[in-house]
Amino acid sequence: MSRPIRLARLFARAALPAALITWLLSLRDVNVLGMGVYGLVEVLPVAFWVAAALLTLGFCAALLDRRTRDRLYTGYVLALIAMLHATAPIVYGHLSDNWAWKHVSMIDVLLRVGELPIVHDRGLDLYNQWPGFFTLNAAVVRATGIDSALSYAAWGPAVADALLLGPLIILYRSFSRSRRLSWTAAWVFYTCLWVTQDYFAPQTLTFLLYVTVLAVVVRRLPRSRGTPSAARGKAARRPSIGWTLLVLSVVAAITCSHPLTPVMLIITLAALAVPRRNRRTVLPILLGAVVLSLAWDLTVARPFFSANAREMVQGLTQPESNASAGLLDLASATDVHVLVAWTDRALSAGVWLLAALALVFRPSLRRTPLPLLAGAPLVLLALNSYDGEMLFRAYMFSLPAMAFGATALLVAPRPRRRVRRLVLPVALPALFVGFTICYFCNPDGATALYFTRSEVAAGRWLFDHAPRGAVVTAVTEDVPGGYTDYDRHPSVWIELQEQPVRKRFAADPVRTLDSLVAGREGPVYLMLNRAQEGRIRATGLIPTSLKKIDDTLAGHPGFRVVFQNKDAKVYLITPTESREDG
């Protein structure tokens, strides 16, 4: 063994614990209250970036040694996941994602009622038609004896991405036996997964199961001649009934948990079934997925498809609009919006371009299922906009294959080994920085990224004291636990109203609130907090400030402050007709 390799081995073994210790120590100095328009990125101390550099360079050093074992690679990638996804819950101290709070409320109601109540007026009936994620978490809460999923929901991204690592490596080992290539591809995957769809949500669970199904199916596919370093032989084997049923049970879990992922899975399996040699393995799973999806959509989820059939058919005639929906108009964007937009576009375009070039310059990849896995999710771009998110979802579902293809080009074959040694130490840190910009910056308001302890306390007070039937209102949905006991408390969110109503609210909040809660039974509570102020200031959803609204309400006899702390205020509203009657 040469001296440089020995030094690289020693550095790789020492850099991992050093990076973890430095990272954990750096989080003690993070002042989340100091976040500005660039979110968590601007308050992370220098020590955090030193830890990231140590981790990345240590991983590159491990790649130089052909004898590096899987357990060291595993440690590095898990440490990467921790830095990317455990930093926020550690420094925030509690759950801060607004949608995750909503999903926790769904689980709490399910535990109390035994089912997810249908509430049509707030769009919550969708959860009732795909309850798999909530049912699973309710079972976890019951089995562990904890009070609520709130105790672990903040760790959802870190846990989900750690669980994803196993299926991801299995998938990559189906393309190549090279450990260096597989583990580098995993690193590229995690640093390019900037789409914030790994929070505590049904999509996170179903994406994990989606990759798992593809990994076990691709692993059993016969290999064409010329496939490099195939992990298994070339002969096709008929899948056993037990194996098929096991995979279909995972497909069933996907089907009952999310509306989009089963469609993505069916399209991808159909693409894998195009080569004749794959059909013996793929067709039973594909047919089973189609039957399960149709059975669910025509029964439990039928109300959703009946209500949205016209819009879905219309989407088929607007492929260009579907593909571009959700893209930010940079001409009118703020500086932070532009930075985040260009960074995520650069990451996405870079992965797609490198993967495409890999298929050109590495012909052996064309004999693997990689092109089919990468291209199949893009079909949905022409079918539906998915509320402006289809481009991002298609990128996410294609990323496992795209990341491997891009890495296959970066990790050059032996004649260009020196190039590889120069490229990776530059590319991998750049990807890390790019991810943090996309993931930790929040163009829609850095202060809305998290809730302070005072805001959480205000939310708990509100729902502890609001009687059954009380109406909960707020300017935006940035209320911790805003959907608590949603079957007992109707809610009115100003940001979800039509634009004329939002403008009217900005000009005359008293009369607008009166009209929105008119005819409601029970008391009406209005909560204002700093996260709402951050969202309004960043997005312009309401053409005024929360302070002006508060000043208007504070002097009105129909609005009485019943709770207040440094970051939140709760009003009890007396509607106009009640004041007149009094």
Side-chain angles (χ1 to χ4, degrees):
M1 182 186 300
S2 64
R3 184 179 180 183
I5 296 300
R6 285 199 302 269
L7 292 176
R9 175 180 292 184
L10 291 174
F11 180 74
R13 292 178 177 178
L16 177 57
L20 285 173
I21 293 172
T22 306
W23 166 64
L24 289 173
L25 292 176
S26 74
L27 300 184
R28 300 180 305 172
D29 302 325
V30 178
N31 176 22
V32 293
L33 295 178
M35 289 196 305
V37 294
Y38 292 97
L40 196 57
V41 170
E42 60 184 299
V43 295
L44 289 173
V46 174
F48 175 88
W49 303 106
V50 171
L54 273 174
L55 187 75
T56 307
L57 294 177
F59 181 74
C60 292
L63 293 174
L64 294 177
D65 184 4
R66 300 182 62 182
R67 298 183 180 180
T68 300
R69 296 182 179 273
D70 283 333
R71 61 172 176 264
L72 184 59
Y73 286 131
T74 302
Y76 267 102
V77 178
L78 289 178
L80 172 70
I81 294 170
M83 284 190 184
L84 296 178
H85 297 289
T87 295
I90 290 175
V91 299
Y92 293 158
H94 49 258
L95 182 64
S96 292
D97 186 276
N98 197 29
W99 280 89
W101 272 95
K102 186 176 183 179
H103 296 152
V104 168
S105 297
M106 305 295 113
I107 297 165
D108 290 341
V109 171
L110 175 60
L111 287 166
R112 175 171 54 82
V113 178
E115 63 180 0
L116 288 174
I118 299 177
V119 182
H120 294 292
D121 63 332
R122 285 170 286 171
L124 299 178
D125 53 323
L126 185 67
Y127 296 101
N128 183 272
Q129 296 171 46
W130 281 278
F133 170 81
F134 307 101
T135 303
L136 173 63
N137 279 277
V140 171
V141 172
R142 289 194 190 99
T144 57
I146 59 179
D147 294 332
S148 169
L150 186 62
S151 61
Y152 62 82
W155 299 93
V159 172
D161 285 323
L163 293 175
L164 183 61
L165 181 58
L168 198 66
I169 292 299
I170 292 173
L171 179 65
Y172 290 163
R173 290 289 178 84
S174 302
F175 300 144
S176 172
R177 285 180 180 169
S178 171
R179 285 184 296 178
R180 287 185 290 189
L181 177 54
S182 297
W183 286 104
T184 308
W187 186 287
V188 171
F189 169 81
Y190 284 114
T191 50
C192 289
L193 189 61
W194 59 265
V195 181
T196 53
Q197 291 298 325
D198 53 0
Y199 63 101
F200 186 68
Q203 176 68 98
T204 302
L205 171 66
T206 55
F207 182 68
L208 167 62
L209 299 179
Y210 168 88
V211 176
T212 301
V213 170
L214 295 184
V216 297
V217 169
V218 171
R219 188 73 172 174
R220 294 186 68 95
L221 294 180
R223 308 300 165 186
S224 63
R225 293 184 177 181
T227 300
S229 303
R232 304 181 72 91
K234 299 176 182 178
R237 294 188 302 162
R238 183 182 298 277
S240 66
I241 295 177
W243 179 87
T244 302
L245 292 177
L246 182 62
V247 176
L248 287 178
S249 67
V250 180
V251 175
I254 295 174
T255 302
C256 68
S257 299
H258 197 252
L260 178 64
T261 308
V263 181
M264 284 284 192
L265 180 61
I266 289 172
I267 291 176
T268 305
L269 290 172
L272 288 176
V274 171
R276 181 176 299 178
R277 63 179 181 275
N278 294 345
R279 293 174 187 171
R280 179 177 293 184
T281 300
V282 177
L283 283 181
I285 307 302
L286 173 60
L287 294 176
V290 171
V291 170
L292 288 170
S293 185
L294 285 176
W296 189 268
D297 294 346
L298 294 176
T299 54
V300 180
R302 183 176 180 179
F304 170 81
F305 288 101
S306 299
N308 295 276
R310 178 177 298 179
E311 181 180 345
M312 295 170 71
V313 172
Q314 185 178 4
L316 297 175
T317 65
Q318 302 173 334
E320 294 182 2
S321 176
N322 295 336
S324 61
L327 287 178
L328 181 68
D329 181 8
L330 299 181
S332 58
T334 63
D335 291 342
V336 65
H337 277 91
V338 171
L339 173 64
V340 173
W342 277 116
T343 304
D344 61 47
R345 291 179 187 186
L347 286 176
S348 307
V351 171
W352 272 331
L353 177 61
L354 290 174
L357 292 175
L359 294 178
V360 175
F361 294 106
R362 302 289 297 272
S364 58
L365 289 177
R366 298 199 293 267
R367 294 188 286 271
T368 70
L370 186 142
L372 300 174
L373 296 178
L378 305 182
V379 173
L380 277 180
L381 286 175
L383 302 182
N384 197 278
S385 68
Y386 203 66
D387 289 335
E389 293 187 9
M390 188 59 78
L391 178 61
F392 311 123
R393 301 297 176 98
Y395 169 78
M396 180 180 69
F397 281 96
S398 68
L399 185 59
M402 292 286 191
F404 186 90
T407 307
L409 195 67
L410 292 176
V411 181
R414 188 168 297 179
R416 292 190 292 273
R417 184 181 298 175
R418 292 183 179 179
V419 175
R420 181 184 66 209
R421 291 178 178 178
L422 294 176
V423 168
L424 291 182
V426 174
L428 298 189
L431 292 177
F432 186 98
V433 173
F435 178 92
T436 57
I437 292 174
C438 296
Y439 202 80
F440 290 153
C441 290
N442 184 15
D444 291 334
T447 57
L449 251 179
Y450 77 105
F451 299 119
T452 64
R453 296 185 186 278
S454 297
E455 290 175 284
V456 173
R460 287 176 176 169
W461 184 95
L462 171 59
F463 289 99
D464 284 344
H465 290 78
R468 186 187 184 105
V471 181
V472 176
T473 68
V475 182
T476 73
E477 289 185 290
D478 298 289
V479 174
Y483 283 88
T484 299
D485 293 337
Y486 67 91
D487 59 322
R488 295 176 174 176
H489 300 299
S491 58
V492 176
W493 313 106
I494 303 301
E495 72 167 319
L496 301 184
Q497 308 301 317
E498 298 294 333
Q499 187 175 7
V501 177
R502 299 200 303 269
K503 288 184 176 180
R504 191 164 67 247
F505 174 80
D508 191 351
V510 174
R511 291 189 179 183
T512 305
L513 283 171
D514 271 342
S515 65
L516 290 174
V517 301
R520 303 269 189 171
E521 297 181 1
V524 180
Y525 292 87
L526 169 68
M527 180 168 167
L528 306 177
N529 56 291
R530 59 176 293 284
Q532 295 182 52
E533 173 64 34
R535 184 77 68 183
I536 293 171
R537 186 170 56 249
T539 63
L541 282 168
I542 309 296
T544 186
S545 69
L546 203 68
K547 186 179 185 305
K548 290 183 179 180
I549 295 172
D550 188 24
D551 290 342
T552 301
L553 302 180
H556 197 279
F559 292 79
R560 179 167 61 92
V561 177
V562 291
F563 179 89
Q564 184 175 2
N565 59 30
K566 65 176 182 178
D567 291 324
K569 182 183 291 188
V570 179
Y571 284 98
L572 177 62
I573 304 175
T574 303
T576 302
E577 60 269 19
S578 298
R579 296 197 296 270
E580 292 175 350
D581 292 343

